[in-house]
Amino acid sequence: MLMPHSSEYPVTPAGTETNRVPVIQVRGLTKSYGSTIVVDHVNLTVYQGDIYGLLGPNGAGKTTLIALLLGLIRPSAGEWHICNHDPRRNLQAALRHVGAMIEAPAFYPHLTGAENLHVLGGIRGPLPSGKIDDVLRQVGLQDRGRDRYRTYSLGMKQRLAIGLALVHDPAILILDEPTNGIDPQGRVEIRELLRTLSQAGKTIVLCSHLLAEVEQICTRAAILRRGRVVIESNVRDLVGQGNLELTFLELTKEVS
Amino acid sequence: MNRLVRLELLKLRRRWLIWILLGLLVAGEALTIFGGYYLAVSGTMTFLDERGQILPIEMVLPNFILPGALRAVLGLAQQVGSWLLVILTAVVIGMEEAYGTLRLILISGIGRTRYLAMKLTTLFIVVVSFVGTAVISGMGFALIVANVAEIPITPTPVEGSVWLSSFAMAVRTIVALTVPVVIAFVATLLSRSQTIGIAIGLVYFLAESVVNGLLALLGEAGQQIALLLPGTHIQALMAHNQFNSQGLIPGYLPSQPIAGLVLLSYILVLPGIAWALFVRRDIRSGSSQ
């Protein structure tokens, strides 16, 4: 059972158009490898309290964009700010506000779930006593936290990865396919957790292939195609009269 | 940094590998001290000095009790450690790529320079612990030999302080072991592969003797170049691991200060090159389990 999470951050109701505080601002961000442009002059803004969907077909550049935001990849051009910090000048200050899971979960198989949170979560700073147990409870792993990671199912690994993203109570969560490999009941629980976190003022950037999921929980979304943002809007507006899948297919179809 | 290194050491302590390597070292020390003593006393094996002359047993036996045993113990630690610590280094660096945890570490905002400093500090602690384990276990085995010996053994005479000489020997061994560790560190970090790191770390010193042979064919210039390679300097440093200054040091080996300087240059320059490349590198997706 996923538990709601307390937060010290101020609440900004998702979807409210007034008093919007931008927490991620991206301008002209570009990454190319030789003549191949993977991320192409991306502009987007994520506001506090948003659950922001990052959509696109395979190879659209979503994961590269996230890796750029997190400083794992050096940009070819452009700039971005996280909570008013310029990561090119002070990556450490910018990343202090971010918890992230990228692609498939990655942990030390010889350590337990709790030890993994201790070792990887402890890098940023000492964790308060009881924090690891709180997080394990939050992501529904309280009974398996003392088992070695190598014994976990894919769904449990995903939950642990979300737990690691949460362990420092960051203002922004960047989650790449967080429900991948999780059973339907688990997906519902994670969706509920994300909603609760958003209501508590957290900002969530969600990469997902599950359009129905994005439609259900995201407030705003951007659709990428070939490294470019083809649209950025409220999910309500994207859905329009039809559904998100139709909009997505329309915007990402290849013109021959 | 202390906290980061403690976290690194926790990761290491939870792996069997470190305990297996230390177990191999202790077993090797036991074999050297007990086995050597047995072979000498039973007359199964004869022992030669630097000139190739057979040593009388009363000159051999002090090598199996303190303080003489320390030289053998540290010599073995350097030889065995050059292999074992290369493997451990490649695992310590390569596992972050192999498990995909490198990305998680870096997005925590640690910074790439601190990440490398954390890894290097951890590896240095491992090297010191390795040498410390060799000394402690070797001393234990030497004390056992001294107590069970059926014939009285005269300890090796020592010029100056035993403690100072022992400390200097341990430091030389640590420096000599740090060089292959640094080579494996750089190879693994830049190749992103444990296998390549281990291969380069293990093959390097074998290859160096081949390279030395080829350079010798080039005459004076080749020999000058050969003098810059680390293997000869490690040999020179370890040759000074003796209690008395009258021990023979082969004339072709560089002096101790030169050897120390060259090896310290490797220890500083190689990680510097790795750092310069690593901070500019794109960290793309890693594997996961």
Side-chain angles (χ1 to χ4, degrees), chain B residues 39-57:
Chain B
L39 291 174
V41 169
S42 65
T44 314
M45 184 180 274
T46 50
F47 292 79
L48 307 176
D49 66 8
E50 289 89 347
R51 289 172 288 247
Q53 292 173 336
I54 295 175
L55 286 167
I57 192 161

Side-chain angles (χ1 to χ4, degrees), chain B residues 9-284:
Chain B
L9 290 173
L10 170 67
K11 280 191 265 179
L12 259 185
R13 283 204 310 274
R14 289 284 190 274
R15 292 194 74 127
W16 282 106
L17 181 65
I18 181 88
W19 303 112
I20 290 170
L21 298 187
L22 288 175
L24 286 172
L25 172 69
V26 173
E29 302 291 0
L31 204 64
T32 303
I33 302 290
F34 294 143
Y37 171 75
Y38 172 77
L39 291 174
V41 169
S42 65
T44 314
M45 184 180 274
T46 50
F47 292 79
L48 307 176
D49 66 8
E50 289 89 347
R51 289 172 288 247
Q53 292 173 336
I54 295 175
L55 286 167
I57 192 161
E58 60 271 17
M59 288 188 71
V60 173
L61 290 181
N63 291 313
F64 306 115
I65 63 164
L66 291 174
L70 267 183
R71 187 182 183 213
V73 159
L74 289 172
L76 182 81
Q78 189 268 323
Q79 285 170 7
V80 175
S82 298
W83 297 73
L84 300 185
L85 292 177
V86 157
I87 296 169
L88 189 73
T89 301
V91 169
V92 165
I93 304 302
M95 73 175 168
E96 309 296 359
E97 289 275 4
Y99 296 152
T101 43
L102 178 60
R103 289 168 299 153
L104 292 179
I105 293 172
L106 294 181
I107 65 175
S108 69
I110 180 180
R112 297 186 187 197
T113 304
R114 282 186 81 202
Y115 168 76
L116 292 184
M118 170 183 84
K119 287 288 186 188
L120 280 169
T121 308
T122 304
L123 287 170
F124 185 70
I125 289 171
V126 169
V127 171
V128 172
S129 306
F130 191 84
V131 173
T133 304
V135 169
I136 290 167
S137 61
M139 283 171 69
F141 298 139
L143 286 173
I144 293 172
V145 166
N147 281 295
V148 302
E150 292 169 1
I151 51 172
I153 308 172
T154 310
T156 310
V158 179
E159 290 176 353
S161 161
V162 176
W163 293 109
L164 202 61
S165 299
S166 303
F167 179 73
M169 286 163 70
V171 170
R172 285 190 204 101
T173 311
I174 288 168
V175 173
L177 279 174
T178 305
V179 176
V181 163
V182 162
I183 290 172
F185 169 84
V186 174
T188 311
L189 191 77
L190 298 185
S191 69
R192 311 175 199 211
S193 159
Q194 289 180 33
T195 312
I196 294 174
I198 291 171
I200 291 177
L202 293 184
V203 169
Y204 177 80
F205 289 97
L206 296 176
E208 191 184 307
S209 45
V210 176
V211 172
N212 269 331
L214 294 174
L215 287 171
L217 297 176
L218 298 176
E220 185 68 24
Q223 284 171 1
Q224 291 300 318
I225 295 169
L227 276 177
L228 294 173
L229 299 176
T232 313
H233 297 277
I234 289 176
Q235 204 185 338
L237 206 62
M238 291 305 292
H240 284 87
N241 258 5
Q242 45 192 316
F243 284 104
N244 297 321
S245 55
Q246 60 265 47
L248 283 178
I249 308 287
Y252 65 89
L253 290 177
S255 69
Q256 186 172 216
I258 294 290
L261 203 65
V262 170
L263 295 179
L264 282 175
S265 304
Y266 274 99
I267 290 168
L268 294 174
V269 170
L270 287 179
I273 294 169
W275 170 82
L277 295 171
F278 184 70
V279 293
R280 288 166 176 77
R281 172 194 275 180
D282 286 347
I283 309 295
R284 299 199 224 175

Side-chain angles (χ1 to χ4, degrees), chain A residues 31 72 103 106 108 115 122, chain B residues 3 11 14 96 282-283:
Chain A
K31 179 65 184 179
L72 292 172
E103 298 179 289
Y108 303 105
E115 285 171 339
Chain B
R3 184 173 41 79
K11 280 191 265 179
R14 289 284 190 274
E96 309 296 359
D282 286 347
I283 309 295

